[in-house]
Structure formats: structure tokens, C-alpha cells
Amino acid sequence: MATPLINAVAPPPKKKTPDLHALHYKLVINLYRVFAVTILYLVLAGILAYAFVMGFYAINSSWAAPLILSSVDEKSLDFRVKLVTSQQTIEDVKVDAQKMQSGIAEMTKHRAALLELETPLKEAIVREQAHNKANGPQLAALDTQKQADNAKTQQVLAQLKEVESNIHKDLAAGLITKGDAATQLSALNQAQGAYTDSKIAEVLLTDSILQKTTTGTDSLEVLEKQAELRSEAAQLDVAIHIAQKELYEDNRQIDRLRDAIQTAKQSPYYLNAAGGKQLYFAFVPYDNQASAVAGSAIYDCYLNMLVCRKVGTVTQAFPGEEAAIHPIFKTNIRGFLIQMNLDHPESAKSKTVFLDRKPLLF
Amino acid sequence: MAPILLWLVMVLCLLISVVKYIMGIILKVAFPSTKIKKDYSYQPRVSVLMPCFNEGKTVYETIESISKSKYPSDRFEVIAQDDCSVDDSYEWMLKAQRDFTNIRIRTGKNAVNSGKARTVCNALELSNAEVIISIDSDCIFHEDAITELTACFSEPRVGSVGGRVGVRNPNDSVITAIQAVIYYSAFQLYKVPENWTRSVCCISGCLFAIRRDLLSEIEPAIRARHWFGIPVNQGEDRFLTHQTLLRGYGTYINNDALCWTTVPNNISVLFKQQLRWRRSIVRDFFYTLRTLPQHVWKLHPNTVFTLVLTPLGAIVAFLVVLTMLSSDPLAWAGPLPLVGALGIGAVLTWVIKKYSSREALANPLAFGAYVAWSMVSSLLLTPLALCTMDSADWGTRTKEEPEVPLGNTAH
């Protein structure tokens, strides 16, 4: 068009003919100049606006970046899962604590019952010991007497063999009838039996004396029982103590989990996950913290800074730290989230909103 | 899709540039055949055309440097053509004509201000030499410059030969230091692969030698250059080089032919100069696109790639900077570009000091500022150039008279 083609030579100017080329060129040039001037002013305006926006956001300390949390937001879902898990854990620990409490009550009861047995047992032992102490010597005297009696009876029984022989002789001689002989022999056997019984009684008496005058196995058994009773009571003490400690820990865990849930309930992600209605949040960098107070007005502006209108108020500021990308400078920044109560929900889609005051007086 | 395409073109442009620099090093070190075979016994008649506009005393210094040339004085002349300077440039020309009698100096003056390209054409009318050397009137020339340039014409298919342009004032400011590094690396590395295929895409107008016949063939096209009726008087060096290539001739830069120019030392003048150059690049790009089939058919692929990708890279760089500013502005604050520029600057500063002590930089860290300049140039120059294609203003020199039809007055 402008630059001649290869090997082209400029044609000689035709002076007298109507210069259509010149008109065409003039038209093109005028259009181009209008276009170029417009573009250049647009570029200039763009550069100035860009520089202004950069400067504005570098010094402004009241902006916040709205964000819409979806109910299927990853953090919200994660929060929800953790919350459910924590609540389930609380229920489990509560059941454990109740079991533990019942166990402790049962063990305490059992321990009390055992301790109740100890006193009568002690008294019985003392009473028996006193009784033995009194009866032992008497039985020993009776035993001596019994031994003497038995010795005499034995001497008498030695003579009975001769009597028995005489009975047989008398029977053989026909001095006595068979019936008489049988009656007489039976009487002899009875006397022998009586002697045997008496010996048995003597032995038994000796045993009794032994039991009452020395510490016998029965006594030892009783003492063993007493020791067992005491040991069982001590074991119950230990078990009750451990169970009480575990119960205390369970209760503490429950308290801690409840605290954690309470804290979690103050998180925007919990509110977002648990709440049925749409909630609005915004990220506030730490530099703008002073403007993010509950009750502060929220302004939404055209072109991110001009002609602002009040669109709501700050409901609450959440304590947890959040990281975000600066909406203008695209750098990583630290800050926190606030909940917004918006009268105009579409403002939640704005790039930035302003807290507490309009950024440019209008 | 569009961003991917954008990045692809950007990467391609960058790759081509990086590859050209690396190839430059390899060719310089390992392939002596890259250099043209010079025949110093070939001594054609030479006319040194020196268009001049508002250069003042500098024009005298320029002629003085040419007068010291070792080229046989009976084989060359200087034709100094004033383009209606409003200062005392013409008086300085006449003084040089009186003072340097060892060479033939002719002076002329345009009837009206005509721009550099047409002033060269006007000066050409006074010449009958076989080789024409067009120079800038603010440069100082090495005594071997003419000899070195003409020696390259021994290769018959070489149509145009350029010299290396060094910076006279590298330590005036950070801006001149940056330009010194860029000039040096451009001539010593970037253009070497183009030299290899004898297809340099732009020979600097500071020192531009061309066969007389070829220039005469192109002259009408130079005079006819216009943009929708508005005469184009900028970028004649790029245009001449391009036309040389399209006519089947080779182009070459002889780095042994030296001249020294005073580069802009403040941002305003530099910006105007770069804007003028960018306009030439854009204009050349449009021309290349319009006649792309002819380019593909006639020129070496190396040339076509350079002609297309250099301006395309400038356009894409603008879009990339715009995208980065709007999406991640502080990415520019990262240390990598600065570290890269400082590293390149340090290496090139050392190389310059070793091989061209006259251009040695006082502060090797000055090149770090190139990062800021590259952003400004990428962001502003291309759109400004695109929106001021109708400008006939040279930009860096005051001009008080309007452009009117051409004329010539010889002395």
C-alpha cells in the first residue's frame, strides 16, 4: 500500500487528472488519525488508571476481598467431617465414662461388704480363742481321767477271757443251756465294745484337746480367709482409684472436645457447612484490621473504588489466620475472614469491598 | 487458546534471538568462513554521502574524520548535503570544505527540508562513483572504514555492506552504557548469523555502503516512499537493506569498518529515537507481510524469519507485558530479570573492555537498568509506533520548516 512493491518505480505524478488517490489517502489518513488519537488517549488513560489503581491499593487500608464459600467447599466439608468425628468421639467417651462410673460404684459396694465381714470374723476368732483357752485344760483333765478309766476297763476285760472259757466249759458240761451261754457271751461282747468306744472317745478327746490348746489348721484357714478378705479390699481400692482417674480423664476429654467444637462453631467454614442459608464472607488483610470491626458498614464501589454505596455491615470477625492472593498485586498476603451481612447479595461477587468508610469520599 | 499462541510466539521469538546470539559466538569462534573474503586491491571510486540536519559543529568533526581516511584520496569524495538546517551546520560544512583540502568535498543544500532519505538521493545526483557510502553526520569514522567497506565488494553478489557502529559516549549516563552494550552485542553477535548467509536485514545508516547501480535502481522507490500520501523519510537504512536483499544481492556487515556515534544520553531523546526505529520496523513488517510469498521465494529462510519474527516479537512482547502487568504485576519485582541483565552486562562489559577499550564501561552494573527500559519499550513503543505511522518527524532534531516538494541546490 504505502511502500512500493519490489522493483516498483514511483509513477510520474498526474497533475491534471482528478486525484482520487489523494482523496482516498486523505480519507484513510483522517480515519487513521482519529483512530490513532483515540487509541493513544485510551492507552494513556489506561496507564494512568493502572498507576492510580496500583497506588490506591498500595495505600488504602479499608478494603476486603469478598469470597463465596460453597457448601461443598473442601475446607467446609473437611470441617464437617471432623466435627462429626469429634461428636462421635464424645458420645463414645461418655459411654465409657458411664460404664466406668458404674464399675466404681459396684467395686465400692463390694469393698464395703468385704470390710463389713472383717469385724465379725475378728470377733469370732477372739471368741473361739477364749473358749479354747477355757475348755482346753478341762478337756485335758478329763482325758487323763478317761485314760485311767480305760486302763481299768482293760484289766477287767482281760479277766473276761477266762469267764468266756468257763462259759464254754459249763456249756460243754451241760451245766448251762445254750441260750444261757449265748446270753452270757453277748454280755461279754458288749463289754468289749464299750471298751472300744471308750478308747475312741479318748482319742477324740485328745484331738479336741490338741485343737483347743494349739493353733490348728482350722484356725489357719480362718486367718487365711481374713488375709484374703483384706487383700481383696486393697485390690478393690487400687481398681477404684484407677477407674476414678480414667473417669476424670474421660471427663476432661469430653470437656476438651466440647471446647474444640465450640471453637469450631466460630469458624466460617463450620457456619458455611452447618448453616442452611447463604452466608457471605470476606478476606481482610492484617493491614486493614482496624476497619474490620463488628457493626462496621460495608461499601461496594463501581470500578473497585468509585461511586460507592453501603451494602451491609460486618457481622463478626473470625480469629483464625487465612492466606489469600492480593486481588490487585497478586501476591500472597495474610489476614483473616469476616462474616458480612449483605443487603445486596450481588456485592459478594465484587472484587473488593470497603469497610467502615468510602475509599474516596464518594 | 489465544494465550497459548501468544506464549508460543513469544518463546519462538526469544528462542530465535537467543539462538542467534549463541550462533554468533559459535560462528565467530569456529567458522572463519563466516567472514567475507576481502580484496583490498579493489579500490572503486567512492562517494561518501553525508546528509545533514541541525548537527552544528559535529558535521565538521565528521568530515575531519573522513579526511583522515587511508583510502586513496583521489578515489573518493565527500558530498555533504544540508537539509535546510536552522543552525550553523551548513557554515561548518563550508569550513570543512575550506580546511580539508586533501580530499574532495562537495557541499549542497536542499531547497526545502526533505528528510534524510531524500537528502541522500539529492546528494546521489551529484555523484558518479561506483560505490556509494551513506553516513550519518554525527559520526566519527575510522581511517580504515572506507577501505574495509569497499574491500567487501569484491564478492560480486554483495550489494550492500555496513560497518560496525560503536558508541562514542558510553559513560555519559546509565542510558548510554546500556546502548553501548546493546550496540556491541548486536554487531558482534546478533548479526553474525545474518552475515553468515550474507543476509543482514538492517545495515545501520551510520555507515552504509552500496553499489551505485543498485542504489540508482532503488532510488525512485526511496523517493516514492509514502504512507497514504505522506512521504516516508525514516528508516531508509532498513528499506535500502531490504530492497538490496529482494533484488537478489547479499548484505554484509564488516565489523572492521568502524564508526563512532554519539548515542542519546537522556530518556526523552532515546525514546524518540527508538520510536522512530520501531516505526520503521513496523512499516517493514507490514511490507514483508504484504509481499510474503516473494520473500519466501527469493530470500534465505534466515532472512524471512528475522524479518517476520523481530517485529512480531515486539508486538507479542507488548501483549505479554500487558498480560503480566494485569495478572501478576509484582512478578517484575522478582530478582531473575535483574540478575540476568546484570550477568549479561558483566560478561559483555568485560568483553568490551578487552576487545574495544574505547567503549569500555566505567560501571559494569549499569546494564541492570535495561530491565526497566525493556519494560517501557515493550509496553509503549509498539503501540505508539502503530498509532503514529503518519508521523514524518525525525524526532530527535528540531525541525521548523514544513515538508514540501523536493529540490536541490549544489555547490
Side-chain angles (χ1 to χ4, degrees):
Chain A
M1 191 180 336
T3 308
L5 289 172
I6 303 158
N7 297 323
V9 175
K14 296 172 184 173
K15 289 182 181 173
K16 300 280 175 151
T17 54
D19 204 343
L20 285 175
H21 269 299
L23 282 173
H24 170 236
Y25 287 162
K26 197 173 178 183
L27 179 67
V28 170
I29 286 295
N30 285 336
L31 283 173
Y32 167 77
R33 281 178 176 159
V34 169
F35 178 75
V37 167
T38 309
I39 291 291
L40 285 177
Y41 274 112
L42 283 175
V43 168
L44 184 66
I47 290 170
L48 290 176
Y50 179 76
F52 181 75
V53 168
M54 298 291 276
F56 173 84
Y57 276 95
I59 59 172
N60 181 273
S61 61
S62 66
W63 65 267
L67 61 130
I68 297 172
L69 294 177
S70 152
S71 56
V72 292
D73 172 77
E74 196 179 332
K75 271 190 178 177
S76 297
L77 286 176
D78 189 39
F79 233 91
R80 198 163 190 164
V81 169
K82 283 180 181 165
L83 207 64
V84 169
T85 310
S86 298
Q87 278 168 337
Q88 187 58 48
T89 309
I90 285 181
E91 293 306 318
D92 292 347
V93 176
K94 272 165 87 174
V95 170
D96 283 350
Q98 277 175 353
K99 280 182 186 170
M100 200 80 71
Q101 219 152 14
S102 304
I104 290 171
E106 187 56 40
M107 285 190 287
T108 309
K109 208 169 150 186
H110 184 44
R111 180 179 176 279
L114 287 177
L115 291 178
E116 273 177 14
L117 280 177
E118 190 173 5
T119 310
L121 187 66
K122 267 184 186 173
E123 286 172 359
I125 291 169
V126 170
R127 198 165 49 241
E128 200 172 296
Q129 282 174 343
H131 181 72
N132 288 343
K133 201 174 178 182
N135 288 351
Q138 285 178 0
L139 284 174
L142 287 172
D143 187 45
T144 307
Q145 193 178 338
K146 184 75 178 176
Q147 285 173 357
D149 289 346
N150 283 342
K152 283 176 184 174
T153 305
Q154 197 176 9
Q155 286 172 357
V156 173
L157 285 176
Q159 292 172 357
L160 286 178
K161 284 184 179 176
E162 194 180 328
V163 173
E164 187 183 357
S165 173
N166 288 334
I167 292 169
H168 286 296
K169 282 176 181 173
D170 288 345
L171 182 60
L175 294 177
I176 57 173
T177 64
K178 281 186 177 176
D180 290 340
T183 303
Q184 286 174 9
L185 285 172
S186 176
L188 284 177
N189 282 337
Q190 281 178 355
Q192 188 71 36
Y195 175 75
T196 303
D197 289 344
S198 182
K199 282 298 274 187
I200 291 169
E202 185 190 330
V203 171
L204 288 175
L205 186 62
T206 306
D207 282 350
S208 287
I209 290 165
L210 189 69
Q211 281 180 0
K212 289 185 187 291
T213 54
T214 59
T215 305
T217 52
D218 289 347
S219 298
L220 286 175
E221 277 176 15
V222 171
L223 287 172
E224 188 187 342
K225 288 281 181 197
Q226 188 187 26
E228 276 177 7
L229 189 142
R230 282 177 178 171
S231 168
E232 198 174 345
Q235 282 175 7
L236 279 172
D237 276 346
V238 171
I240 288 168
H241 183 67
I242 290 169
Q244 278 172 340
K245 268 198 142 182
E246 284 179 0
L247 182 64
Y248 174 73
E249 286 303 324
D250 282 355
N251 286 333
R252 274 190 65 191
Q253 192 182 351
I254 290 168
D255 289 343
R256 278 198 298 265
L257 284 167
R258 280 185 178 147
D259 284 348
I261 290 173
Q262 200 58 36
T263 308
K265 282 181 178 174
Q266 293 169 5
S267 156
Y269 300 105
Y270 171 80
L271 293 176
N272 183 55
K277 63 174 184 174
Q278 176 71 57
L279 299 175
Y280 302 105
F281 303 97
F283 172 83
V284 180
Y286 282 134
D287 289 343
N288 303 353
Q289 192 166 10
S291 307
V293 181
S296 296
I298 297 171
Y299 295 91
D300 189 13
C301 308
Y302 292 103
L303 298 175
N304 295 324
M305 66 178 74
L306 302 172
V307 194
C308 302
R309 59 171 179 165
K310 185 179 172 184
V311 293
T313 53
V314 175
T315 309
Q316 60 172 321
F318 299 104
E321 180 171 291
E322 296 285 335
I325 304 291
H326 195 294
I328 307 298
F329 300 144
K330 310 296 178 194
T331 50
N332 288 320
I333 45 173
R334 294 163 61 202
F336 57 93
L337 293 183
I338 57 168
Q339 187 183 348
M340 302 186 293
N341 179 21
L342 291 180
D343 305 324
H344 298 86
E346 70 275 10
S347 293
K349 294 173 186 168
S350 295
K351 203 171 193 177
T352 51
V353 292
F354 295 88
L355 309 177
D356 197 32
R357 60 187 180 274
K358 293 176 182 177
L360 291 172
L361 303 177
F362 53 89
Chain B
M1 183 63 193
I4 293 172
L5 196 65
L6 189 80
W7 281 106
L8 267 177
V9 175
M10 185 68 193
V11 167
L12 190 63
C13 295
L14 274 175
L15 197 67
I16 293 284
S17 297
V18 172
V19 165
K20 282 184 80 170
Y21 278 106
I22 293 170
M23 270 187 72
I25 298 171
I26 296 169
L27 291 170
K28 269 183 92 76
V29 174
F31 292 88
S33 61
T34 305
K35 287 190 174 181
I36 205 166
K37 282 179 185 166
K38 291 183 271 192
D39 179 3
Y40 293 104
S41 65
Y42 177 62
Q43 292 182 332
R45 280 179 293 115
V46 173
S47 282
V48 179
L49 309 186
M50 190 186 72
C52 168
F53 182 65
N54 289 353
E55 291 292 353
K57 191 187 174 184
T58 313
V59 73
Y60 181 86
E61 293 166 356
T62 303
I63 297 172
E64 184 183 18
S65 71
I66 298 169
S67 72
K68 293 174 183 169
S69 173
K70 287 181 177 174
Y71 199 71
S73 57
D74 60 328
R75 303 295 292 166
F76 83 99
E77 63 179 350
V78 174
I79 302 175
Q81 184 78 9
D82 182 43
D83 191 19
C84 302
S85 299
V86 293
D87 64 359
D88 57 353
S89 298
Y90 189 64
E91 282 69 36
W92 283 108
M93 279 184 190
L94 295 176
K95 181 174 166 48
Q97 194 176 30
R98 287 195 300 273
D99 290 353
F100 307 120
T101 51
N102 61 320
I103 58 168
R104 186 184 182 204
I105 301 172
R106 288 198 280 170
T107 57
K109 192 168 187 176
N110 289 345
V112 290
N113 181 268
S114 311
K116 186 186 173 188
R118 289 176 180 82
T119 306
V120 169
C121 292
N122 289 346
L124 179 66
E125 289 176 5
L126 305 175
S127 163
N128 58 0
E130 298 157 69
V131 170
I132 303 297
I133 299 177
S134 170
I135 62 169
D136 277 357
S137 51
D138 59 349
C139 293
I140 299 297
F141 296 88
H142 191 274
E143 56 192 15
D144 292 327
I146 297 174
T147 309
E148 287 290 342
L149 289 176
T150 52
C152 297
F153 284 107
S154 58
E155 265 192 26
R157 289 315 297 166
V158 169
S160 299
V161 179
R164 182 170 90 76
V165 183
V167 174
R168 280 175 80 184
N169 55 336
N171 294 310
D172 273 9
S173 65
V174 170
I175 292 171
T176 59
I178 293 171
Q179 290 175 87
V181 173
I182 291 175
Y183 273 57
Y184 188 86
S185 58
F187 280 100
Q188 295 289 6
L189 297 176
Y190 188 78
K191 287 186 183 291
V192 172
E194 297 177 26
N195 259 357
W196 186 39
T197 52
R198 306 289 186 267
S199 57
V200 177
C201 291
C202 180
I203 293 173
S204 169
C206 293
L207 187 53
F208 191 117
I210 184 169
R211 291 179 191 276
R212 166 63 191 250
D213 297 343
L214 181 59
L215 182 57
S216 297
E217 190 181 328
I218 300 170
E219 186 205 345
I222 297 172
R223 287 190 184 277
R225 280 181 85 202
H226 65 92
W227 196 79
F228 292 102
I230 298 172
V232 174
N233 57 17
Q234 303 162 351
E236 86 293 338
D237 47 1
R238 185 175 289 275
F239 181 74
L240 269 176
T241 317
H242 202 153
Q243 290 297 319
T244 302
L245 290 166
L246 285 170
R247 281 167 170 76
Y249 286 96
T251 54
Y252 184 79
I253 284 181
N254 180 359
N255 280 320
D256 297 323
L258 287 170
C259 78
W260 307 92
T261 187
T262 306
V263 294
N265 62 0
N266 67 65
I267 198 81
S268 166
V269 179
L270 175 68
F271 193 85
K272 286 174 182 171
Q273 182 206 52
Q274 294 293 315
L275 180 59
R276 193 178 74 233
W277 289 7
R278 189 60 59 92
R279 261 189 229 119
S280 301
I281 290 171
V282 171
R283 188 172 280 120
D284 204 50
F285 178 54
F286 288 150
Y287 176 59
T288 304
L289 290 184
R290 269 173 42 221
T291 53
L292 194 60
Q294 290 163 281
H295 281 75
V296 173
W297 185 250
K298 285 189 174 183
L299 302 185
H300 193 283
N302 182 12
T303 318
V304 181
F305 273 128
T306 307
L307 286 172
V308 173
L309 287 176
T310 305
L312 202 60
I315 293 167
V316 173
F318 162 73
L319 295 173
V320 168
V321 172
L322 202 66
T323 308
M324 293 184 88
L325 281 175
S326 59
S327 63
D328 196 359
L330 293 189
W332 294 97
L336 266 184
L338 183 63
V339 170
L342 287 173
I344 293 168
V347 172
L348 286 172
T349 301
W350 177 80
V351 172
I352 291 170
K353 191 175 180 182
K354 186 171 171 65
Y355 294 103
S356 181
S357 56
R358 188 170 172 175
E359 298 167 275
L361 298 178
N363 187 353
L365 298 179
F367 194 68
Y370 178 71
V371 176
W373 168 251
S374 67
M375 253 195 75
V376 171
S377 67
S378 299
L379 194 63
L380 299 180
L381 285 179
T382 306
L384 261 178
L386 280 166
C387 291
T388 55
M389 295 295 285
D390 58 330
S391 171
D393 188 4
W394 192 257
T396 50
R397 292 177 182 85
T398 315
K399 188 170 69 174
E400 294 182 350
E401 293 182 48
E403 288 188 19
V404 288
L406 310 175
N408 189 17
T409 309
H411 288 255

